[in-house]
Amino acid sequence: MIDCKEIPDGDAWEAFCRDYLVALGLVVEIPPAKGPDGGLDLLVKEQLRGSLASRPFTWLVSCKHYATSGKSVGTADEINITDRLEQHGADGFIGFYSTMASAALVTRLKELRDQKKIESYEIYDGTRIENGFHDAGLSGVLLQHLPKSHTSLRPIHPLLGRYQPLPCDVCGKDLLKASVTKETLGNITFATRYGIGDEPIIESVHFVCKGECDQRMDHLIHNRGLTTAWDDISDYCNPLIFIRRITGYTNQMRTAPNSYANAAHDRLINFYITLSQRTLRQTNGEDRKALIDAIELEGLGV
């Protein structure tokens, strides 16, 4: 969870808002500034694209930072919305709040939109802002403005310049993004062939959601006459266990270089690269305890 109280005041909140919206792809027309603002904290623009044409769309952004008091943003805090949009030539309204918008304010904005007095509105409250960090590309904004929350939330870092997903081999769900939202992540499944008198060879490596997808993959692998073993992908999100798995694989390749088929080896290397987007970060006490637990389980042969 992010803690918006890390941001000390309204000016810092406006700077955070600017950087957050820029990371989402919007262009700042009027940045935050000291002094009277005429009901405007920022003016940002985006390009709306249709199937045949596109046009610019301008948003008036109102920032409210009430995290310390915890009070919601109400109609008394957002007055004369249509006048403010007209004054600044804006098409829509964005409320960027560290707490929630009141039901009355949301109802008012819906009425203005339905009456076509504003084209659109968006509310970025604390929950929606946090959900935005689950996508790649915003981790730098989180680290700059909310460093303690950055360590706690553990966002994805597109280390190679472009996000690389980890799709489930059965349903296609991105297992890497699921790791940030605390969902049940999934398994890495190893399909192994045992020959008479030969060393076992891992012929293929698969990534699946736990449950139905895992069961379907197990069935497909067994139909090929192979056996399965699995590991919990969420363990690889712990940097200490991640390093342990890599060094273990490196040692195995030294002692038994033919234990993985070429395709399985290539897939596993790509898996380590993909998981590094989630894993290469600062460790905490929870990570170290999980490593100790993993070592104890391995010692028991689990």
Side-chain angles (χ1 to χ4, degrees):
M1 295 289 290
I2 66 170
D3 182 4
C4 292
K5 291 192 289 293
E6 279 191 71
I7 296 179
D9 52 42
D11 290 340
W13 182 255
E14 291 179 12
F16 167 60
C17 172
R18 175 200 61 207
D19 294 345
Y20 188 97
L21 295 178
V22 167
L24 292 181
L26 282 73
V27 177
V28 175
E29 292 284 301
I30 300 178
K34 297 280 188 180
D37 56 19
L40 163 78
D41 292 320
L42 296 92
L43 202 67
V44 297
K45 184 173 290 187
E46 66 175 322
Q47 196 72 15
L48 300 184
R49 301 188 182 279
S51 56
L52 299 177
S54 64
R55 71 177 180 92
F57 191 95
T58 302
W59 296 93
L60 182 145
V61 184
S62 178
C63 301
K64 297 285 185 286
H65 187 33
Y66 298 157
T68 300
S69 67
K71 85 179 191 75
S72 62
V73 181
T75 53
D77 302 297
E78 297 289 9
I79 60 175
N80 302 325
I81 293 175
T82 53
D83 292 342
R84 290 153 62 191
L85 264 66
E86 182 178 357
Q87 176 184 350
H88 297 286
D91 306 299
F93 174 88
I94 292 177
F96 197 88
Y97 308 143
S98 56
T99 54
M100 297 179 61
S102 70
L105 177 57
V106 173
T107 299
R108 177 59 178 151
L109 289 167
K110 287 180 179 178
E111 290 173 349
L112 293 175
R113 182 193 59 194
D114 294 344
Q115 295 166 4
K116 302 190 183 305
K117 294 182 178 180
I118 62 174
E119 286 195 45
S120 186
Y121 73 90
E122 297 287 344
I123 298 295
Y124 283 85
D125 59 16
T127 300
R128 184 175 180 183
I129 291 167
E130 178 175 324
N131 289 339
F133 290 118
H134 298 160
D135 293 324
L138 291 173
S139 60
V141 177
L142 183 62
L143 178 59
Q144 178 183 354
H145 294 278
L146 297 150
K148 293 180 181 177
S149 297
H150 182 275
T151 299
S152 174
L153 190 60
R154 306 171 180 177
I156 294 169
H157 304 267
L159 296 173
L160 303 178
R162 184 177 64 181
Y163 174 65
Q164 182 171 323
L166 182 68
C168 171
D169 287 339
V170 176
C171 71
K173 175 183 177 180
D174 188 348
L175 298 172
L176 187 58
K177 284 190 177 178
S179 73
V180 182
T181 57
K182 309 294 186 183
E183 297 177 49
T184 300
L185 186 47
N187 291 332
I188 174 171
T189 302
F190 303 89
T192 305
R193 181 178 300 281
Y194 288 87
I196 300 176
D198 296 329
E199 292 293 326
I201 298 176
I202 295 176
E203 290 200 351
S204 59
V205 176
H206 307 274
F207 315 112
V208 290
C209 304
K210 291 183 179 181
E212 182 178 348
C213 293
D214 187 28
Q215 294 169 7
R216 288 180 60 185
M217 181 56 67
D218 245 24
H219 182 71
L220 291 171
I221 292 172
H222 290 153
N223 284 346
R224 293 163 52 197
L226 307 177
T227 61
T228 59
W230 61 271
D231 206 354
D232 194 324
I233 294 176
S234 62
D235 285 346
Y236 293 77
C237 295
N238 179 325
L240 302 176
I241 299 178
F242 180 78
I243 292 171
R244 185 177 176 86
R245 293 290 189 270
I246 289 179
T247 54
Y249 182 68
T250 302
N251 289 334
Q252 182 176 358
M253 289 296 96
R254 183 179 182 183
T255 58
N258 297 319
S259 59
Y260 277 75
N262 288 337
H265 170 76
D266 292 343
R267 194 123 204 260
L268 195 57
I269 293 300
N270 189 64
F271 169 75
Y272 284 127
I273 293 172
T274 300
L275 262 290
S276 70
Q277 300 173 108
R278 177 70 171 84
T279 305
L280 297 184
R281 55 173 173 77
Q282 181 179 349
T283 63
N284 57 27
E286 181 183 344
D287 296 325
R288 290 185 284 276
K289 182 180 183 303
L291 174 63
I292 293 171
D293 292 343
I295 293 173
E296 291 177 349
L297 288 174
E298 289 171 4
L300 295 173
V302 178

